[in-house]
Amino acid sequence: MYRAVALYCLSHNVRIVPDNPILEAALDQMRIEFRLNEETGRRDMYLDGENVEHEIRTLRVSEVVSEIAAISSIRRKLVAMQRAMGAHGGVVMDGRDIGTVVFPNADLKIFLTASMDVRVMRRMSELTRKGKPATEEAVRENIVHRDHIDSTRDDSPLRKASDAFEIDTTHHSIDSQVAIVVAMAQRLIQQPETQS
């Protein structure tokens, strides 16, 4: 969702600074939603009615998304939208503040980590698959920059929730990661409720 706002700003030449009245007005007008992609079975990001799933994953958007996420007015609006999406449960969300701010009482919280080299390799692979290749140096610099901004911002910094399960995915494939998380969710679902 923060990537969608970043894309909007880049596409409309909106300055990414706090207290920008143009950005504030744009926040009230832009429509951000997820819609089911019948071909993939996944939900894609739509911005003002247009599928922007590929555009929000570009390095150009990655370079500014943390600046977007550091603006409190944007965070307030998007957190409210995220909470509305998950108000009735039954959702899986990922993000850098989902377990600490958006849903601090979530039933299951997972904090994924991986070595920097693996994160760079995975990001480069993703960009290449989408026809947006980038250099290893540019990708590494972007990840380090985003991590620094997100973990040091005043509003909702990136951190592991105290009750989150940490999984180092360095040596796990996507299928392996999914299997681990699904097993954790199934154990949670199958646990008998404690009697008071």
Side-chain angles (χ1 to χ4, degrees):
M1 295 174 77
Y2 292 95
R3 286 175 175 274
V5 176
L7 178 63
Y8 181 96
C9 291
L10 292 169
S11 302
H12 293 83
N13 295 315
V14 176
R15 287 184 357 163
I16 302 170
V17 293
D19 303 319
N20 178 353
I22 296 172
L23 177 54
E24 299 294 329
L27 275 175
D28 291 333
Q29 295 174 6
M30 68 179 74
R31 289 178 298 122
I32 299 172
E33 57 189 331
F34 291 96
R35 293 187 198 165
L36 182 64
N37 182 325
E38 299 290 345
E39 293 178 14
T40 65
R42 299 178 62 177
R43 294 198 174 270
D44 287 351
M45 173 65 65
Y46 279 74
L47 175 62
D48 293 333
E50 180 183 348
N51 187 327
V52 293
E53 190 63 32
H54 294 295
E55 290 85 350
I56 63 172
R57 305 292 173 192
T58 62
L59 192 57
R60 176 175 86 120
V61 169
S62 293
E63 288 171 346
V64 298
V65 69
S66 289
E67 282 80 0
I68 287 289
I71 298 174
S72 293
S73 59
I74 294 174
R75 297 201 71 79
R76 283 192 300 274
K77 181 175 179 67
L78 296 188
V79 166
M81 290 173 67
Q82 291 163 345
R83 286 180 175 156
M85 289 176 191
H88 303 292
V91 297
V92 175
M93 287 193 181
D94 76 296
R96 294 186 163 203
D97 69 342
I98 298 297
T100 54
V101 175
V102 182
F103 294 112
N105 298 316
D107 293 325
L108 178 61
K109 300 178 193 176
I110 308 290
F111 189 82
L112 299 178
T113 64
S115 71
M116 180 58 71
D117 288 342
V118 167
R119 291 175 67 196
V120 169
M121 178 195 68
R122 289 174 179 166
R123 184 73 173 123
M124 287 184 67
S125 176
E126 177 189 13
L127 290 169
T128 300
R129 277 193 318 273
K130 294 180 177 179
K132 313 277 186 187
T135 66
E136 181 178 337
E137 181 181 2
V139 170
R140 185 179 299 273
E141 285 178 5
N142 176 254
I143 292 172
V144 169
H145 178 68
R146 283 193 61 212
D147 285 353
H148 173 72
I149 290 176
D150 290 346
S151 60
T152 59
R153 66 183 177 225
D154 291 333
D155 193 343
S156 309
L158 163 64
R159 62 181 172 80
K160 176 186 167 189
S162 60
D163 56 345
F165 295 94
E166 184 168 338
I167 301 172
D168 184 343
T169 69
T170 300
H171 303 292
H172 289 282
S173 67
I174 290 177
D175 289 343
S176 173
Q177 295 172 48
V178 169
I180 292 168
V181 173
V182 167
M184 294 174 79
Q186 287 174 333
R187 280 196 302 272
L188 183 70
I189 291 167
Q190 292 167 358
Q191 284 179 352
E193 291 191 21
T194 56
Q195 301 290 326
S196 54

